[in-house]
């Protein structure tokens, strides 16, 4: 086992098989991530990166785990280190992934201009070195940035291009569907978003993804006046809240639930959920979520639901995109069912 191999090193330090040590550390890191033990995952990922100091992909993994734990300075330093290593070793996959990691870090911190810059660099690298899956991921990430800053025209363009770029049944396609449905929720297009959110709920396996999907379902179901679907989403959020691995999406999932409750006029319930969301977001230094939750709490305490949705030209194009996503998600689920 990986731990047995690492324990044996303590007994015989003269002979070290670096490849086996790295493999064992990576396996333990994956084990930790799968069980929500991100501190363990980060520690063993860093041990692997130190053991094989010229491997850029290992440095990217350290940055990713540090970002997931909201250790932003540590994450940034490892991503930047990965970029330098990747240039030296001509590992262009890791090079593009490191830029994507930096972009996602600044999205998490709420600094969207910097996030856009890094995702554009990722897209340029993916095109230059024919990294087709990374091209889809970069377009997806740029779509997310456009959504966050309210640029509807760019978001439409990037979403369509990313949907075309992703391979069928790719997990990135599922996450893209979530992000587009979230955008429709923000713009008050609840029926369209609900069509996608119902399918999303059945596509995710990891706790962090499930709590985000459940929060989205609660939000758009509340907006659409579907109390049954809202309660399904609410129950899922609370079920997942204390589960290992869900902490990265907990504050945002609760924010979605609070929006849904507010849309249904359940003010006390919404306020209670928002206070919990603010508590988690503050502890994790998630400024964007915290700020959004605090602003909504002011409205909820006054029993006023802010409904000044941004103008959004939905039309037939958006209806068609919703159907395309729903069909694609059903294909993903069908492919996951053993024959």
């Amino acid at each position: 086992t990986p731990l047995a191999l690492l324990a044996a090193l303590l007994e015989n330090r003269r002979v070290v098989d670096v490849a086996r040590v790295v493999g064992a550390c990576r396996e333990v890191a994956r084990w930790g991530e799968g069980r929500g033990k991100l501190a363990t995952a980060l520690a063993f990922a860093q041990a692997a990166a130190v053991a094989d100091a010229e491997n850029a992909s290992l440095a990217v993994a350290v940055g990713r785990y540090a970002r997931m734990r909201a250790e932003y300075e540590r994450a940034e330093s490892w991503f930047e280190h990965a970029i330098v290593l990747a240039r030296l070793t001509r590992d262009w996959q890791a090079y593009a992934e490191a830029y994507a990691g930096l972009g996602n870090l600044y999205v998490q911190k709420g600094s969207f201009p910097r996030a856009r810059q890094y995702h554009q660099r990722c897209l340029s690298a993916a095109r230059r070195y024919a990294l087709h899956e990374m091209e889809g991921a970069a377009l997806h990430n740029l779509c997310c940035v456009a959504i966050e800053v309210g640029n509807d025209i760019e978001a439409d363009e990037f979403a369509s291009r990313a949907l075309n770029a992703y391979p069928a049944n790719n997990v990135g396609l599922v996450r893209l569907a979530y992000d587009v449905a979230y955008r429709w929720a923000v713009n008050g297009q609840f029926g369209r978003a609900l069509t996608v959110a119902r399918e999303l709920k059945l596509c995710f396996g990891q706790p962090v993804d499930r709590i985000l999907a459940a929060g989205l379902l609660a939000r758009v179901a509340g907006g659409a006046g579907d109390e049954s679907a809202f309660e399904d989403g609410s129950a899922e959020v609370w079920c997942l809240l204390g589960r290992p691995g869900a902490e990265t999406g907990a504050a945002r999932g609760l924010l979605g639930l609070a929006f849904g409750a507010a849309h249904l006029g359940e003010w006390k319930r919404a306020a209670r959920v928002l206070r919990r969301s603010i508590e988690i977001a503050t502890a994790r230094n998630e400024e964007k979520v915290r700020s959004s939750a605090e602003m909504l709490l002011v409205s909820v305490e006054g029993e006023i639901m802010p409904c000044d949705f941004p103008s959004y030209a939905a039309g037939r194009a958006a209806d068609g995109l919703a159907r395309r996503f729903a069909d694609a998600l059903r294909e993903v689920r069908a492919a996951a069912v053993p024959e």
Side-chain angles (χ1 to χ4, degrees), residues 75-144:
E76 185 166 13
S77 66
W78 274 98
F79 284 135
E80 290 175 346
H81 178 60
I83 289 168
V84 173
L85 278 181
R87 284 200 192 104
L88 291 173
T89 60
R90 303 180 68 82
D91 185 346
W92 304 123
Q93 178 71 27
Y95 181 74
E97 288 178 356
Y99 275 122
L102 283 167
N104 289 332
L105 183 154
Y106 278 99
V107 167
Q108 191 166 320
K109 291 181 69 174
S111 180
F112 300 113
R114 292 197 68 180
R116 179 188 172 90
Q117 290 174 0
Y118 286 123
H119 287 314
Q120 286 282 10
R121 291 180 186 178
C122 175
L123 178 60
S124 296
R127 287 174 171 168
R128 184 181 307 123
Y129 301 110
L131 305 172
H132 301 301
E133 189 166 345
M134 283 303 300
E135 182 177 353
L139 289 165
H140 178 178
N141 286 328
L142 286 165
C143 174
C144 293

Side-chain angles (χ1 to χ4, degrees), residues 10-224:
L10 299 176
E11 299 176 1
N12 184 7
R13 301 186 183 186
R14 295 182 180 179
V15 180
V16 177
D17 185 333
V18 173
R20 292 182 68 197
V21 170
V22 168
C25 288
R26 294 182 73 177
E27 191 168 339
V28 175
R30 285 192 292 268
W31 174 89
E33 180 181 8
R35 287 159 179 77
K37 301 179 183 297
L38 295 179
T40 298
L42 176 56
F44 278 89
Q46 184 163 320
V50 171
D52 188 355
E54 296 183 357
N55 190 321
S57 66
L58 296 178
V60 171
V62 180
R64 186 172 69 88
Y65 287 128
R67 177 187 63 78
M68 291 171 69
R69 282 180 49 80
E71 296 186 29
Y72 298 124
E73 291 184 4
R74 186 177 183 181
E76 185 166 13
S77 66
W78 274 98
F79 284 135
E80 290 175 346
H81 178 60
I83 289 168
V84 173
L85 278 181
R87 284 200 192 104
L88 291 173
T89 60
R90 303 180 68 82
D91 185 346
W92 304 123
Q93 178 71 27
Y95 181 74
E97 288 178 356
Y99 275 122
L102 283 167
N104 289 332
L105 183 154
Y106 278 99
V107 167
Q108 191 166 320
K109 291 181 69 174
S111 180
F112 300 113
R114 292 197 68 180
R116 179 188 172 90
Q117 290 174 0
Y118 286 123
H119 287 314
Q120 286 282 10
R121 291 180 186 178
C122 175
L123 178 60
S124 296
R127 287 174 171 168
R128 184 181 307 123
Y129 301 110
L131 305 172
H132 301 301
E133 189 166 345
M134 283 303 300
E135 182 177 353
L139 289 165
H140 178 178
N141 286 328
L142 286 165
C143 174
C144 293
V145 173
I147 290 170
E148 292 287 358
V149 301
N151 191 324
D152 289 332
I153 295 174
E154 277 199 347
D156 278 339
E157 178 185 351
F158 286 132
S160 180
R161 289 165 61 189
L163 181 58
N164 292 333
Y166 271 130
N169 303 324
N170 187 279
V171 67
L173 186 150
V174 179
R175 294 200 167 94
L176 175 64
Y178 168 85
D179 293 326
V180 172
Y182 170 78
R183 176 204 179 192
W184 286 330
V186 170
N187 285 282
Q189 308 296 317
F190 300 120
R192 188 173 294 110
L194 185 56
T195 298
V196 178
R198 289 184 191 276
E199 301 295 335
L200 276 170
K201 184 176 181 291
L202 304 172
C203 289
F204 284 125
Q206 294 298 320
V208 59
D209 298 317
R210 289 172 59 195
I211 199 169
L212 289 172
L216 176 64
L217 177 62
R219 178 174 183 163
V220 299

Side-chain angles (χ1 to χ4, degrees), residues 321-338:
L321 189 59
R323 288 192 295 270
R324 286 177 63 197
F325 273 118
D327 290 342
L329 293 173
R330 282 190 285 269
E331 290 180 10
V332 169
R333 294 205 331 264
V337 176

